[in-house]
Amino acid sequence: GGGGRGVLTCSAPRLLDQTLAMLTRLRATGCALPAQIWHVGELGQPDSAGSRRLLAARAAVRDLREALHPALPPSELGAMRGFMCKPLAVLATDFDEVLLLDHETYLFRDPTRLFSAPAYARAGALLFRDRIKHHGARNQPPLRPPSLYLASLAAQHAASPGFLPTASQPWSPSESLLGA
């Protein structure tokens, strides 16, 4: 971390092998970007076997609980795992620019070049659709609106002097996110 560009993903014990495989594929493209693997208490202490495997793959292991509000009730932690870990990790990272990858991502070229893409330069973001539609296919409930903790984290970052809004990158959190 520490500013600059980097790769983010979220993981859990059941996804650890897939996350390590994605990191191996990423490094095989020649990508030298630093990587952060975020979790919400699932991967154990920094000296756990899972964390040691990720560190060996040249990835920093970060626990999202350290970035969440200390008064967060334990009953809310489960809601921060899975999909919600991703936007929270993007807000909590110290990287200035982020390449957010899923554990099942297959890259065939070094993705660092995406930061130089004209579309990224114009919009400050490159978004792509997940090719597999999991959400509705499994009769899952609709995604919840952002929690108070996501809103407070967004507000905290929006108030920091180095946050994204600039003339070239005018993004800022929506009123609905900040008012959640």
Side-chain angles (χ1 to χ4, degrees), residues 8-74:
L8 290 185
T9 193
C10 291
S11 195
R14 67 183 179 80
L15 302 174
L16 190 58
D17 289 337
Q18 292 171 302
T19 302
L20 285 162
M22 182 274 295
L23 286 170
T24 300
R25 292 188 301 268
L26 175 72
R27 297 303 182 210
T29 69
C31 181
L33 291 171
Q36 293 178 351
I37 311 303
W38 287 81
H39 65 101
V40 187
E42 303 107 317
L43 295 179
Q45 299 301 317
D47 62 345
S48 71
S51 292
R52 283 194 308 270
R53 289 175 64 198
L54 289 167
L55 289 171
R58 298 182 307 169
V61 180
R62 306 282 304 270
D63 191 337
L64 196 55
R65 294 177 301 177
E66 296 170 11
L68 295 172
H69 194 280
L72 177 72

Side-chain angles (χ1 to χ4, degrees), residues 56-157:
R58 298 182 307 169
V61 180
R62 306 282 304 270
D63 191 337
L64 196 55
R65 294 177 301 177
E66 296 170 11
L68 295 172
H69 194 280
L72 177 72
S75 61
E76 284 279 324
L77 284 178
M80 304 297 150
R81 293 184 172 120
F83 174 80
M84 282 306 296
C85 178
K86 295 172 188 177
L88 291 169
V90 169
L91 290 170
T93 186
D94 51 357
F95 291 138
D96 296 324
E97 297 178 271
V98 171
L99 178 62
L100 178 65
L101 299 176
D102 282 334
H103 61 274
E104 71 269 4
T105 301
Y106 281 80
L107 298 163
F108 302 100
R109 289 185 168 178
D110 182 349
T112 305
R113 60 193 262 152
L114 293 173
F115 290 111
S116 301
Y120 177 77
R122 278 191 309 277
L126 286 177
L127 305 174
F128 56 91
R129 185 185 304 248
D130 199 343
R131 292 181 52 130
I132 302 172
K133 295 181 181 180
H134 290 293
H135 190 65
R138 295 187 188 155
N139 295 325
Q140 296 174 349
L143 295 176
R144 293 178 9 169
S147 74
L148 293 175
Y149 305 103
L150 175 58
S152 69
L153 197 55
Q156 176 185 2
H157 275 273

